[in-house]
Amino acid sequence: MMSSSEHSIQPGSMNTLFESSLEQLKKDYPSIQEINIANKSFLYRQGDYCSNFFWIKSGIVKLSHLTEQGSEITIALLREGDVIGYLQDESASQEMEETAQALGEVSCYRFTYNNFKALISHHAELTWHVFEEIYNRKQKIERKLRIMLTQPVEIRLIATLLELAEMFGIRCTHGYALEIHLTQQDVADLIGASRSVVSTLLNDFRNRGILDYTRDQICINDAALISFGKLKQQP
Amino acid sequence: MMSSSEHSIQPGSMNTLFESSLEQLKKDYPSIQEINIANKSFLYRQGDYCSNFFWIKSGIVKLSHLTEQGSEITIALLREGDVIGYLQDESASQEMEETAQALGEVSCYRFTYNNFKALISHHAELTWHVFEEIYNRKQKIERKLRIMLTQPVEIRLIATLLELAEMFGIRCTHGYALEIHLTQQDVADLIGASRSVVSTLLNDFRNRGILDYTRDQICINDAALISFGKLKQQP
DNA sequence: ACATTTGTGTTTGGTAGCTAACAGACACTG
DNA sequence: CAGTGTCTGTTAGCTACCAAACACAAATGT
C-alpha cells in the first residue's frame, strides 16, 4: 500500500536544478525549453512521431489511448515531477501509443531525446531521480493492471477514487475534494467501465456516505479514507 | 507494433561488462553475485522484504501476483537482459508486490540496492541501457493494460500468444513453438480469463489452423503470424 | 500394475456489466 | 428566455464470461 506521503511534492533535485540554472543548462542543452500548455491542449497525440521528452513542472496531464473501436481509456494521470515522452532510441522512431493532454494549465520543461540523454549522463544525481520516477510509474501500472484483471467495477472504482484523493485531493469540510474536474465518462475511462455503471455506483456511494459530488466536483469523505486505511483516524 | 527483432538478444553492454570484468566489479561492489536458480524456485516472493536487484543472464522468470481472493495473475514473463527487483529507496522498505519465479533454469546477477545504485552512477553507458529496459517494460505493461481493458478474451488470447511467439518462439516445422511449458491455466492467468474459456478458444484456434498444441507445447503457425502482421511473407 | 495427481474438453446455470435509449437537470449563447 | 449542448440518472435486454462440475487422458509415483 502507498503511504499518503508518497505523492506529496518531492524535494525535487530536478526542480532545483532547473530553476537555479536554467540559463546555464540552455547553453549545454540547447533544446531545453520551458513551455506552457493551455487547458485541454496536447503535449503530443497518439500517432504523432515525437522525439521529445517532458518533465512536468506544474499541472496535471492525462495520458490516454483511443482504440480502433472508438473506446477511450485513460492510462494514467500525471503531475508535478512526472516525466513523459519518448525514451527510446531515435532509430526505432515509432508512433506514440498514447495522447498526452493537459488537464488545466500545465507548465513543463521540454527536451529532445538526445539532449535529455546527455543531461542524464552528466548528472548522476538526476539519473537516479528519473530512474525512480519511471520505476514507480511501472509499479503503479502493474498495480492497476492487477486490479483491473481481478476486481469487479465497484472495487476498481473505489480504488481509483482513493488514489485520486491521494494524488489530487485538497482538504475540504468533510473530506478531500478532487482538484480536477472529471465527468462520469472520464471516471469510466479511468477504470475501464461503462458510464452508466459508474453513475449508479457513484449514486450508491453517495447514499452510503462514502463520498459526495456535484457535476463539477467529487469529494471523498474522511470516513471512507479511514475505513479503507488511506487516512489515519484523527486524534 | 513491435518489430520481431525487438526482443532478440541485445548487444548487451551489461552482458559484456559483467562477463569481462566480474572479478573487478566484485571488488567495487561486493554484493554482486552470479546465482543460479532451479526450475520453479523463487527469486523472491510476494510479501518478502527484498532489497535486491536482479539482472537476468539467461532463462525465463515469471512475475505473478496472488490476490486475496485466491486468483493468480501473471504480470509479465521476463528473459535475458531484463531487470527485476527492488528499485526504490531503501528507507521506503516495502513488501514486494509480486512473486518472481524461475521457469526452467535461470541464471542471473544479484546486487543490493545500494550497490546497484552506485554501479549505475559510475557507468553512464549502463545507465541508459537499464533506463531503456525499464521504459520498455513500462510501455509493454501499458499496452497490456489497454488490451485487457478494451478487448474481449479471444483477442487478448491471440495477442498474448503472438507476443509469446515473438519472445519465446523457436522455429519448428510449421511455425514457432514456445520454448516454455504453459498449461492452459498458466495461459489463463496471463490474460486474466478462466481456464475453461481458454480451453475452448485454443481448440477453436487449432481447428482454424491458427496453431497447434499438445499438453506440453504450443506452436503458433506461420499463417497466423503472417495474417496478424507479425511475420513477413516468406519469399 | 495400480493409484494418484495433473492437465484437458465440455456442459450448465448464473450474473456482472455492456449497449442503447431516453428523460431530466444544468449551463452556455444569441 | 427559448434553444442547444453537455452531463446525469435510470431502465431494459442481451451476452460474454465465470464458477462449478464431471469425465477422460496422460503423466507420475510406489
Side-chain angles (χ1 to χ4, degrees):
Chain A
M1 293 295 111
M2 282 178 268
S3 79
S4 61
S5 65
E6 183 176 319
H7 292 289
S8 58
I9 294 154
Q10 290 156 11
S13 42
M14 216 144 172
N15 203 343
T16 323
L17 177 70
F18 285 135
E19 277 166 16
S20 62
S21 53
L22 187 58
E23 290 315 310
Q24 176 55 40
L25 284 171
K26 266 189 181 162
K27 287 193 189 103
D28 298 341
Y29 311 104
S31 73
I32 298 184
Q33 275 190 313
E34 187 178 342
I35 56 175
N36 293 302
I37 298 127
N39 184 20
K40 301 209 172 164
S41 49
F42 300 93
L43 309 214
Y44 55 84
R45 300 167 106 114
Q46 182 175 344
D48 283 357
Y49 288 86
C50 165
S51 57
N52 288 320
F53 166 89
F54 301 84
W55 179 77
I56 304 173
K57 189 184 168 195
S58 72
I60 296 167
V61 173
K62 180 173 94 172
L63 222 57
S64 63
H65 179 95
L66 199 66
T67 64
E68 311 87 59
Q69 299 102 60
S71 50
E72 182 169 342
I73 97 142
T74 301
I75 311 280
L77 294 176
L78 305 175
R79 50 170 295 166
E80 173 160 357
D82 289 332
V83 295
I84 35 173
Y86 196 64
L87 286 187
Q88 261 165 167
D89 198 315
E90 213 144 8
S91 65
S93 173
Q94 290 173 343
E95 295 186 4
M96 297 312 284
E97 302 182 7
E98 352 74 12
T99 297
Q101 185 182 27
L103 248 49
E105 304 299 308
V106 168
S107 98
C108 61
Y109 296 104
R110 184 179 65 188
F111 318 69
T112 59
Y113 168 89
N114 283 326
N115 271 204
F116 177 68
K117 191 169 171 176
L119 176 68
I120 281 295
S121 313
H122 301 137
H123 292 266
E125 66 312 340
L126 252 190
T127 304
W128 197 253
H129 180 82
V130 183
F131 212 98
E132 286 191 319
E133 219 294 295
I134 301 237
Y135 177 77
N136 283 329
R137 271 272 290 293
K138 200 210 73 190
Q139 287 296 99
K140 212 161 165 178
I141 295 172
E142 284 186 1
R143 221 174 286 146
K144 186 165 177 175
L145 182 65
R146 237 159 49 205
I147 294 182
M148 296 300 155
L149 284 181
T150 58
Q151 308 296 340
V153 171
E154 178 167 357
I155 310 284
R156 273 144 60 188
L157 181 54
I158 294 190
T160 305
L161 288 173
L162 293 175
E163 200 191 319
L164 291 175
E166 280 187 64
M167 283 185 76
F168 307 111
I170 43 181
R171 188 70 217 169
C172 76
T173 30
H174 307 289
Y176 286 87
L178 303 188
E179 53 167 329
I180 20 175
H181 173 227
L182 294 173
T183 69
Q184 293 185 346
Q185 185 60 57
D186 291 332
V187 178
D189 292 343
L190 214 38
I191 65 173
S194 71
R195 211 264 312 153
S196 54
V197 192
V198 171
S199 182
T200 11
L201 283 176
L202 281 180
N203 250 287
D204 194 28
F205 292 164
R206 177 155 58 187
N207 293 334
R208 285 155 62 188
I210 294 177
L211 46 75
D212 209 340
Y213 65 99
T214 66
R215 73 183 48 246
D216 41 33
Q217 200 167 43
I218 301 178
C219 171
I220 288 89
N221 288 339
D222 288 337
L225 290 161
I226 292 169
S227 74
F228 292 106
K230 294 286 178 178
L231 189 67
K232 287 181 205 81
Q233 187 86 45
Q234 299 299 326
Chain B
M1 291 298 110
M2 284 179 268
S3 78
S4 62
S5 66
E6 184 177 319
H7 292 290
S8 59
I9 294 154
Q10 291 156 10
S13 42
M14 216 143 171
N15 201 344
T16 324
L17 176 70
F18 285 135
E19 277 165 17
S20 62
S21 53
L22 187 58
E23 290 315 310
Q24 176 55 41
L25 283 171
K26 266 189 181 162
K27 285 193 190 101
D28 298 342
Y29 312 105
S31 72
I32 298 183
Q33 274 190 314
E34 187 180 342
I35 57 174
N36 294 304
I37 299 128
N39 185 20
K40 301 207 172 164
S41 47
F42 300 92
L43 308 216
Y44 55 84
R45 301 166 106 114
Q46 182 175 344
D48 283 358
Y49 289 86
C50 165
S51 57
N52 288 320
F53 167 88
F54 302 85
W55 181 78
I56 304 174
K57 190 185 168 196
S58 71
I60 297 167
V61 173
K62 179 174 95 173
L63 221 57
S64 63
H65 180 95
L66 199 66
T67 64
E68 311 85 60
Q69 299 102 60
S71 51
E72 183 170 341
I73 96 140
T74 302
I75 311 280
L77 294 175
L78 306 174
R79 50 169 295 165
E80 173 160 356
D82 290 332
V83 296
I84 36 173
Y86 196 66
L87 285 188
Q88 261 165 170
D89 198 316
E90 211 143 10
S91 64
S93 172
Q94 289 173 343
E95 296 185 3
M96 297 312 284
E97 301 182 7
E98 354 73 12
T99 297
Q101 185 182 26
L103 249 47
E105 304 300 307
V106 167
S107 100
C108 62
Y109 296 104
R110 184 179 65 189
F111 316 68
T112 58
Y113 168 90
N114 283 326
N115 271 202
F116 177 68
K117 191 168 170 178
L119 176 68
I120 281 294
S121 312
H122 300 138
H123 292 265
E125 48 342 317
L126 253 188
T127 304
W128 198 253
H129 180 82
V130 183
F131 213 96
E132 286 191 319
E133 218 294 297
I134 302 236
Y135 177 76
N136 284 328
R137 270 272 291 293
K138 201 210 73 189
Q139 286 296 97
K140 212 160 162 178
I141 295 172
E142 285 186 1
R143 222 174 285 146
K144 186 165 176 175
L145 181 65
R146 237 157 51 204
I147 295 182
M148 295 300 155
L149 283 181
T150 58
Q151 308 297 340
V153 172
E154 179 168 355
I155 309 284
R156 274 144 59 186
L157 180 54
I158 294 191
T160 306
L161 289 173
L162 291 175
E163 200 192 320
L164 290 176
E166 280 185 65
M167 284 184 75
F168 308 112
I170 42 181
R171 190 69 218 168
C172 77
T173 32
H174 307 288
Y176 286 87
L178 302 188
E179 54 167 326
I180 20 174
H181 173 226
L182 293 173
T183 69
Q184 294 186 342
Q185 185 60 58
D186 290 332
V187 178
D189 293 343
L190 213 40
I191 64 173
S194 71
R195 212 262 313 151
S196 53
V197 191
V198 171
S199 182
T200 11
L201 282 176
L202 281 180
N203 250 288
D204 193 29
F205 291 164
R206 175 153 60 187
N207 293 334
R208 286 155 61 188
I210 294 177
L211 47 73
D212 209 340
Y213 66 99
T214 66
R215 75 182 47 245
D216 40 34
Q217 200 167 43
I218 301 178
C219 171
I220 288 89
N221 289 338
D222 289 336
L225 290 161
I226 291 169
S227 75
F228 291 107
K230 294 288 180 175
L231 188 68
K232 288 181 203 83
Q233 187 87 42
Q234 300 299 324

